Amino acid sequence: MTRIGDILGRYGGVNLLPLFVAALGFVLIGAPASWVTLTVAGLAMGMMIFLMASGLSLVFGLMDVLNFGHSAFVSFGAFIAASALAFLGAWLGAENIALNIAAMGLALVAAILFGLAAGWFFETVIIRPVYKDHLRQILITMGALIVAEQIILMIWGGTPTAVPRPAFLEGAWILGDVSIEIYRIFAFGLGLAVYVALYLVLNRTRIGLLIRAGVENREMVEALGFRIDRLFVAVFMLGSALAALGGAMWAGYQTLISPALGAEMMIVVFIVVIIGGLGSIEGTLLGALLVGLVGNYVGFLAPKMALASNMILMMAILLWRPSGLRPAVR
Amino acid sequence: MSLLSITAMQTRIGQYAVLHNISLEVPEGGVFVLLGRNGAGKTTTLRSIMGLWTPSPGSVTFRGRDLTGMHTAEIARLGIAYVPENMGIFGGLTVEENLVLATATGRFDKVRLARITALFPALETFWTKQAWALSGGQKQMLAVARAIIEPRALILIDEPTKGLAPSIVGAMAEAFREIAQGTTILLVEQNFQFARSLGRDMAVIEDGRIAHSGTMAEFAADKALQDRLLALSA
């Protein structure tokens, strides 16, 4: 067993899990065309969940803050993007692809800007007074999530909001029997680009080095002469902006969103962070891809088990690796 | 004038008073050793100097500047390095990253780095390895190297020989002797033989109070005092 573990470790170790799940899905599903469609959907969904969860993982790891209000940024991101897209409706349907792209870009930028500003406000006003007190963090951030939901209800109403898509992201690519939605390819590409950018920042810059060190031992980073509390605010803002971006992408994916979106996504986001291991971007990506793939395969094979599948996945991984797949701190 | 002066320092952790009226003068240069039994308050003294616990009342001055109430990062930037008992190594970072993080600019002073790798050759061998994979002795070398990667006026080192093999303890003593030629070391230690081989001045803490202070030579010669304060013969 140890030898098999060593060989697997040499070729990628836990990073091979999504491939293993995809191969298992191929065997169980049987029909290659359905498998390709489900796999692409799973990867796209995984990347959007990665966007929502990556910030929470860093905040959890670096600041030891249990932020149950994180999904409020997802909700607001979704609704702000939906409003921006509706406002730019003329650009969405235009034949000029540049206007299409500009409309989508502006909607995403609006969500990101909101995430940055709301993240600063949330950290300064709500989180800062409850550092080092997990019980109060849970209570106050849960409260903030409920308040956020009510604000969304007040502004956008209780009926589901339709999210228009730009023309260039409508439709699907048909390859033989396989149909791949263009939006899913876009979501996957954007998620991958954000992952690469985050990876480069964390692994190739001094700020990234500080964040990785801070996730492991905040006190020691301060003893080396760095004000980590200032870094906290920046990381919190970044995490909130990524969550809002994830929410904006999710809105376009679902095309119909309700104020309960945040609370629904909160469970998935926490599952991903726990599966991946706290404070690790690589772990969050791995967890998000697994959740996306398993959710889609199980939804096809045994629809009644779809909701339970993520919980079962989390329990199985925690029994195997109690700290998650790739925790930042060993 | 002393490099570091501690005056009537009291530190509470939660509802417990750990340090009671600690006063200490650490002169510039050489190794000042702080001895004491487990739980006497040695680590709390170092953490209070670094601002990781806030002493109240009392004061800590470094080169005449009051450190009381200052943020740990600001204290570090004055030229004080801290090597905690658990070494404080970032296990997920490579040896190189651990060291580069401790530099002021993100770049190594090549002469200084060469001096450090001459002191601790193992670090060069494991340069690109993640620090969690190092042995206990190698981690301690990395922790000390990180403290001297920039010029420091004072290094606070907490029990560096704990759990180390005798051969590594000897190498560590050699390294400290060389470091102490240009930097003051405030060393907390329970290994009396190690401390004795390095220290010029010393103090003993007992139950959060300074029970004795003087030169190491005098203390080393007084067996009865050692037995009373450190229970070495027990």
Side-chain angles (χ1 to χ4, degrees):
Chain A
M1 279 301 281
T2 314
R3 198 148 166 243
I4 294 171
D6 288 347
I7 293 167
L8 283 175
R10 212 174 299 145
Y11 291 101
V14 292
N15 295 334
L16 298 174
L17 269 178
L19 287 179
F20 172 75
V21 168
L24 188 66
F26 185 79
V27 173
L28 294 174
I29 290 164
S34 302
W35 176 79
V36 172
T37 305
L38 290 168
T39 303
V40 172
L43 292 175
M45 191 174 152
M47 279 303 192
M48 285 183 278
I49 297 171
F50 165 73
L51 288 175
M52 298 176 208
S54 53
L56 182 70
S57 181
L58 282 179
V59 165
F60 224 163
L62 181 69
M63 302 154 81
D64 195 25
V65 167
L66 290 164
N67 180 14
F68 281 81
H70 186 76
S71 54
F73 305 116
V74 174
S75 295
F76 269 107
F79 278 92
I80 285 168
S83 292
L85 288 169
F87 180 73
L88 298 167
W91 290 11
L92 293 180
E95 285 185 16
N96 185 343
I97 195 169
L99 284 177
N100 276 203
I101 294 171
M104 189 66 188
L106 284 172
L108 296 182
V109 167
I112 289 170
L113 289 177
F114 172 84
L116 288 171
W120 174 82
F121 177 80
F122 206 82
E123 198 279 340
T124 311
V125 176
I126 295 173
I127 300 289
R128 202 169 291 178
V130 293
Y131 273 134
K132 298 178 182 173
D133 187 341
H134 283 157
L135 181 63
R136 286 174 72 203
Q137 283 168 14
I138 293 170
L139 292 173
I140 202 164
T141 57
M142 284 285 274
L145 177 63
I146 294 166
V147 170
E149 259 183 39
Q150 295 305 306
I151 293 172
I152 288 171
L153 204 62
M154 196 173 72
I155 299 173
W156 283 279
T159 50
T161 302
V163 185
R165 271 188 197 171
F168 83 104
L169 293 177
E170 287 288 11
W173 290 343
I174 309 293
L175 304 163
D177 293 339
V178 178
S179 164
I180 300 173
E181 264 191 59
I182 294 170
Y183 192 88
R184 288 175 180 172
I185 300 288
F186 177 71
F188 181 80
L190 185 73
L192 193 63
V194 169
Y195 170 73
V196 170
L198 275 178
Y199 181 85
L200 290 175
V201 168
L202 285 172
N203 291 283
R204 300 273 190 274
T205 68
R206 193 159 167 81
I207 291 276
L209 196 57
L210 274 172
I211 293 172
R212 285 192 291 141
V215 166
E216 285 198 43
N217 189 340
R218 280 171 291 167
E219 196 174 272
M220 200 59 224
V221 172
E222 290 184 335
L224 290 176
F226 300 99
R227 289 294 299 257
I228 207 158
D229 47 346
R230 289 174 190 160
L231 193 62
F232 280 179
V233 187
V235 170
F236 200 94
M237 288 169 69
L238 174 72
S240 309
L242 287 173
L245 176 63
M249 288 302 297
W250 191 256
Y253 181 65
Q254 294 287 352
T255 64
L256 207 59
I257 52 172
S258 75
L261 169 72
E264 287 163 12
M265 293 313 295
M266 186 177 78
I267 297 165
V268 180
V269 163
F270 266 88
I271 287 174
V272 163
V273 169
I274 291 165
I275 286 177
L278 299 183
S280 155
I281 289 297
E282 293 89 345
T284 306
L285 179 69
L286 208 53
L289 292 179
L290 283 173
V291 163
L293 288 173
V294 169
N296 274 273
Y297 293 152
V298 174
F300 178 81
L301 291 165
K304 287 181 182 172
M305 286 296 289
L307 281 175
S309 64
N310 288 331
M311 285 292 180
I312 294 168
L313 177 70
M314 182 179 74
M315 287 189 285
I317 285 176
L318 288 185
L319 284 172
W320 173 41
R321 289 196 172 209
S323 303
L325 292 173
R326 291 193 60 172
V329 182
R330 284 169 189 261
Chain B
M1 190 174 73
S2 300
L3 179 70
L4 184 83
S5 297
I6 300 174
T7 311
M9 181 167 78
Q10 296 189 35
T11 301
R12 298 183 74 86
I13 301 175
Q15 57 181 321
Y16 303 104
V18 181
L19 301 182
H20 315 273
N21 281 315
I22 294 262
S23 292
L24 212 57
E25 298 291 326
V26 178
E28 186 146 17
V31 179
F32 187 103
V33 179
L34 202 52
L35 295 164
R37 296 185 182 113
N38 265 344
K42 305 183 299 294
T43 297
T44 306
T45 303
L46 294 194
R47 288 177 63 84
S48 301
I49 295 167
M50 274 316 281
L52 294 165
W53 297 124
T54 309
S56 174
S59 72
V60 181
T61 57
F62 173 69
R63 286 182 165 157
R65 185 165 176 182
D66 190 2
L67 305 184
T68 319
M70 275 174 76
H71 192 278
T72 299
E74 288 161 19
I75 293 172
R77 283 201 289 264
L78 292 176
I80 303 179
Y82 176 50
V83 181
E85 191 179 346
N86 66 8
M87 296 174 266
I89 292 301
F90 304 114
L93 271 53
T94 63
V95 168
E96 180 186 7
E97 287 174 331
N98 266 279
L99 289 173
V100 86
L101 191 65
T103 60
T105 59
R107 290 208 174 90
F108 292 118
D109 173 339
K110 285 182 182 160
V111 176
R112 212 169 172 84
L113 184 63
R115 191 182 142 218
I116 287 169
T117 49
L119 274 175
F120 306 119
L123 296 183
E124 206 168 21
T125 311
F126 298 105
W127 192 245
T128 55
K129 289 265 181 254
Q130 285 187 305
W132 63 264
L134 301 178
S135 69
Q138 289 160 351
K139 282 181 184 160
Q140 190 61 265
M141 290 175 194
L142 177 57
V144 175
R146 199 172 54 185
I148 56 171
I149 196 72
E150 287 287 329
R152 316 278 187 198
L154 175 66
I155 305 179
L156 315 177
I157 307 181
D158 197 352
E159 298 206 33
T161 63
K162 199 174 178 182
L164 297 189
S167 60
I168 298 175
V169 172
M172 202 60 82
E174 279 304 309
F176 284 5
R177 251 176 232 116
E178 192 175 328
I179 294 165
Q181 285 173 17
T183 303
T184 306
I185 296 177
L186 174 52
L187 176 69
V188 157
E189 191 51 76
Q190 285 206 63
N191 179 342
F192 182 61
Q193 296 311 320
F194 178 79
R196 178 185 179 170
S197 72
L198 290 166
R200 189 181 64 193
D201 299 294
M202 55 80 64
V204 181
I205 292 192
E206 196 176 44
D207 294 332
R209 293 177 176 85
I210 297 291
H212 172 83
S213 63
T215 66
M216 183 58 88
E218 285 166 0
F219 186 71
D222 192 338
K223 190 79 176 55
L225 190 61
Q226 288 169 39
D227 283 347
R228 183 167 67 78
L229 294 174
L230 305 176
L232 291 176
S233 56

